[in-house]
Amino acid sequence: MKRIASFEVNHDLLTPGMYTSRIDGDITTYDIRMVRPNGGVYLQPAASHSFEHLFATYTRNSRFAAHIIYCGPMGCMTGFYFLVRDLPPADAIALVQESMAFIAAYEGDIPGASRIECGNYLLQDLEGARKIAASMIPVLDGWTEADLVYKS
């Protein structure tokens, strides 16, 4: 089979940040790397799950809601995929920055974390999700379109 584009990126060179993974017509896939790949520290499932609920809820309720396609964790547990349609990169960066601030400060019930709404509703860690988001705030501070390019 043909190798997919994401396997062409040298993961030993990746650092936390927000990067353009691919552009398919009007859809852009961003990689939001939260920990260094193969670095021995990974996102914990319960914290990642809570982060996902909060990230998806925030972005789908933002002023850019109509542009959001998907927000979800990477299987390698180093970050999240963020897919948008027809959203300028500067707006995508701003939305991710706003999302991190929202999640880092969030208090209350996790949206969608009930048996009826979620297939694994007990796997939640709000404090862990808040720590993930808080760790990304300084990383993304001042992030620009030029920073969206993976360094090789």
Side-chain angles (χ1 to χ4, degrees):
M1 290 189 282
K2 182 180 171 185
R3 284 173 55 98
I4 62 173
S6 63
F7 295 157
E8 298 296 327
V9 176
N10 183 343
H11 284 63
D12 285 337
L13 301 177
L14 302 183
T15 58
M18 178 177 173
Y19 304 97
T20 302
S21 174
R22 57 185 295 148
I23 299 172
D24 299 288
D26 60 349
I27 298 175
T28 302
T29 300
Y30 293 103
D31 290 352
I32 303 171
R33 296 283 173 175
M34 299 169 161
V35 298
R36 189 176 188 100
N38 302 310
V41 175
Y42 302 97
L43 301 178
Q44 295 303 305
S48 182
H49 189 202
S50 297
F51 183 95
E52 175 191 14
H53 279 237
L54 292 165
F55 186 39
T57 299
Y58 184 84
T59 58
R60 291 180 177 141
N61 282 280
S62 73
R63 65 193 179 283
F64 301 116
H67 301 276
I68 307 307
I69 302 295
Y70 175 73
C71 317
M74 296 177 174
C76 61
M77 302 306 290
T78 64
F80 273 71
Y81 296 114
F82 184 47
L83 282 72
V84 299
R85 173 178 279 131
D86 288 329
L87 186 64
D91 290 338
I93 293 167
L95 181 55
V96 170
Q97 290 168 326
E98 292 167 16
S99 298
M100 296 303 167
F102 169 79
I103 296 165
Y106 187 81
E107 295 180 4
D109 294 334
I110 298 168
S114 75
R115 183 180 188 91
I116 293 170
E117 300 165 305
C118 179
N120 196 359
Y121 74 103
L122 295 176
L123 183 70
Q124 299 290 340
D125 176 5
L126 176 57
E127 189 55 35
R130 291 175 60 174
K131 287 179 182 176
I132 292 168
S135 75
M136 289 302 293
I137 291 171
V139 171
L140 296 175
D141 185 43
W143 209 259
T144 68
E145 290 183 48
D147 296 313
L148 292 172
V149 179
Y150 272 129
K151 290 140 185 83
S152 54

